[in-house]
Amino acid sequence: MSNLKKLLSVAGLACLPGIAFADTPTIGSILEASGIAVTGYTSASYSVNFNDGKTLAFRAYDAQTDTFTIDQASLTIAYAPESGFGATVNILAGEDSNVINGNYGDGDSIFSLPTAFVSYAGGGFTVIAGRFGSLAGYEVTADNAAPFVSRSWLFQNTQPFFHTGLRATYKFNDLLSATLGAVNSAPQASTIDANKQKTLETNVTFTPTSTLLVSLTNYLGVDEFDGEVLFPINGPASGAFTTRTNISDVVVQYTGIDKLTLALNGDIQDAKGLYINKGVAFYGMYQLTEKFAARARIELAEAALKAELGGDSSSFKIYTVAGVYSPSSHFDIIAEVRYDTSKDDVFPNGFTTVSQGEGGSFSVPAFKDNGGNFAVKAIYKF
């Protein structure tokens, strides 16, 4: 039989009903067999502002309200063997990329690269080099791992999001691990450093029992600040000045009560001679049923200028409650109510009209001592 006839015969058999052929390996099965993990998720939300206007203050990724938003479409590809070299890359698209890119000075885009690093593991050590998430804080950027729709006041105002640099972690045993790293900048998490000095990151994590975790983190560095807005900058600029920065963070989590998780996160961010932001957040999360969960977060915080700049300060009390519905392991819906208060009028509240007498009038932004919103977010994980 000629080769052509053989091919035609096989093609014809493939079209006959009731005849099964061996499964062809899929891309997913090939990657899994090679140790490469591919995961992702997509999230979208809608938020209603309790105040006039469409802006929320002191927020990370949910500052805009009264609009449908595609927050994050994330894809992570990771090869992380127990020993040897590996690599992890996370690509993110969506409105939250604008915040992430602004955080490290790479422009305004709906596409970002939060994580991209190479790694080496062996002998209890894990070393990574590239771009990676911060060690500080209880909450994270990724929507599929965030307990609430909004991030805490601490997340936005005291903690770095990501870092570019080198990090080494040593696991002594199941009870203790320690991390030491050098990164470009902590307050701004710059991809391009503004000066020659690097920020030193340290962390010690204790797990004395299977239900208790204690994490202590510190970032100590020297950073460039804009002389006008007192905010870290991403690169050398005229009119900037240098000062010491320090971020201290503590996280405690307890899961020893059935279906209940309790946590505490405390932070102090100190820019010498400029300002100090500090606060504490308390968390309670209860799994009501397999599909329903209830969560609450209470925060006490303060943002203060140093005496050299007048010593003005604002204190905050922030209350957040949320309900979570998970009809499957791949899909979550989070409904959240958040209420922010301050002793000062710092929360946007639309505009007010100022009269100039015979010269007419004009509008200026208005503020009040409280604000908040209702938000719903849907997250699909794959």
Side-chain angles (χ1 to χ4, degrees):
M1 184 182 290
S2 68
N3 289 335
L4 177 59
K5 289 182 178 179
K6 289 180 181 178
L7 291 173
L8 292 174
S9 298
V10 172
L13 287 173
C15 296
L16 292 177
I19 298 180
F21 292 86
D23 291 336
T24 301
T26 64
I27 294 178
S29 64
I30 294 174
L31 292 174
E32 183 178 357
S34 64
I36 299 175
V38 179
T39 58
Y41 63 88
T42 300
S43 62
S45 64
Y46 189 85
S47 175
V48 179
N49 198 336
F50 293 160
N51 288 356
D52 292 335
K54 297 183 62 177
T55 302
L56 297 170
F58 308 102
R59 302 295 186 98
Y61 300 119
D62 61 329
Q64 299 302 312
T65 65
D66 302 289
T67 182
F68 291 102
T69 305
I70 303 299
D71 302 302
Q72 300 180 6
S74 173
L75 180 67
T76 300
I77 303 172
Y79 177 63
E82 293 184 0
S83 62
F85 289 94
T88 299
V89 175
N90 171 235
I91 303 169
L92 192 146
E95 294 300 325
D96 289 358
S97 288
N98 290 316
V99 179
I100 295 170
N101 289 328
N103 182 249
Y104 57 75
D106 281 0
D108 184 15
S109 172
I110 63 168
F111 298 96
S112 61
L113 191 67
T115 301
F117 61 80
V118 296
S119 61
Y120 178 80
F125 278 100
T126 300
V127 180
I128 62 176
R131 185 153 187 83
F132 37 79
S134 176
L135 296 171
Y138 184 69
E139 301 184 33
V140 295
T141 287
D143 272 344
N144 67 331
F148 297 90
V149 175
S150 66
R151 303 306 188 272
S152 68
W153 189 97
L154 299 179
F155 182 92
Q156 168 66 7
N157 299 283
T158 65
Q159 299 168 5
F161 295 177
F162 302 97
H163 304 291
T164 300
L166 179 68
R167 173 184 293 169
T169 300
Y170 183 73
K171 183 177 180 180
F172 294 91
N173 48 49
D174 291 339
L175 304 180
L176 177 65
S177 65
T179 298
L180 181 65
V183 298
N184 282 344
S185 168
Q188 185 63 8
S190 306
T191 50
I192 301 174
D193 210 343
N195 53 27
K196 294 182 179 180
Q197 296 91 338
K198 300 302 173 229
T199 293
L200 179 69
E201 67 167 4
T202 56
N203 171 271
V204 177
T205 299
F206 306 92
T207 51
T209 71
S210 61
T211 60
L212 180 62
L213 177 145
V214 180
S215 176
L216 305 174
T217 302
N218 196 80
Y219 287 93
L220 177 62
V222 176
D223 291 284
E224 298 286 320
F225 282 76
D226 187 305
E228 295 182 0
V229 298
L230 302 181
F231 196 77
I233 59 176
N234 292 292
S238 60
F241 60 92
T242 303
T243 190
R244 186 224 65 197
T245 58
N246 192 82
I247 300 172
S248 298
D249 173 88
V250 58
V251 172
V252 180
Q253 177 177 273
Y254 179 69
T255 58
I257 302 174
D258 185 37
K259 299 182 180 180
L260 178 65
T261 297
L262 299 174
L264 177 148
N265 184 194
D267 283 299
I268 299 177
Q269 184 188 93
D270 184 2
K272 185 178 180 181
L274 297 179
Y275 65 83
I276 181 168
N277 292 343
K278 57 186 177 181
V280 60
F282 303 92
Y283 298 84
M285 292 163 283
Y286 188 74
Q287 193 68 37
L288 298 167
T289 68
E290 183 180 350
K291 296 183 178 182
F292 291 94
R295 298 170 181 172
R297 178 180 63 204
I298 299 175
E299 300 180 78
L300 306 174
E302 181 183 39
L305 296 176
K306 292 296 183 68
E308 299 93 319
L309 298 177
D312 293 339
S313 66
S314 293
S315 59
F316 302 86
K317 295 180 181 179
I318 304 164
Y319 311 92
T320 308
V321 294
V324 184
Y325 174 56
S326 304
S328 76
S329 59
H330 296 284
F331 189 68
D332 295 328
I333 298 176
I334 305 176
E336 171 185 302
V337 176
R338 173 165 164 168
Y339 182 62
D340 300 38
T341 67
S342 174
K343 68 180 182 65
D344 302 303
D345 293 336
V346 293
F347 300 104
N349 188 40
F351 291 85
T352 186
T353 301
V354 177
S355 175
Q356 289 184 307
E358 296 181 359
S361 61
F362 61 94
S363 296
V364 297
F367 298 87
K368 59 189 299 188
D369 62 2
N370 64 80
N373 68 304
F374 169 76
V376 176
K377 176 168 288 191
I379 307 164
Y380 178 75
K381 298 166 282 187
F382 58 89

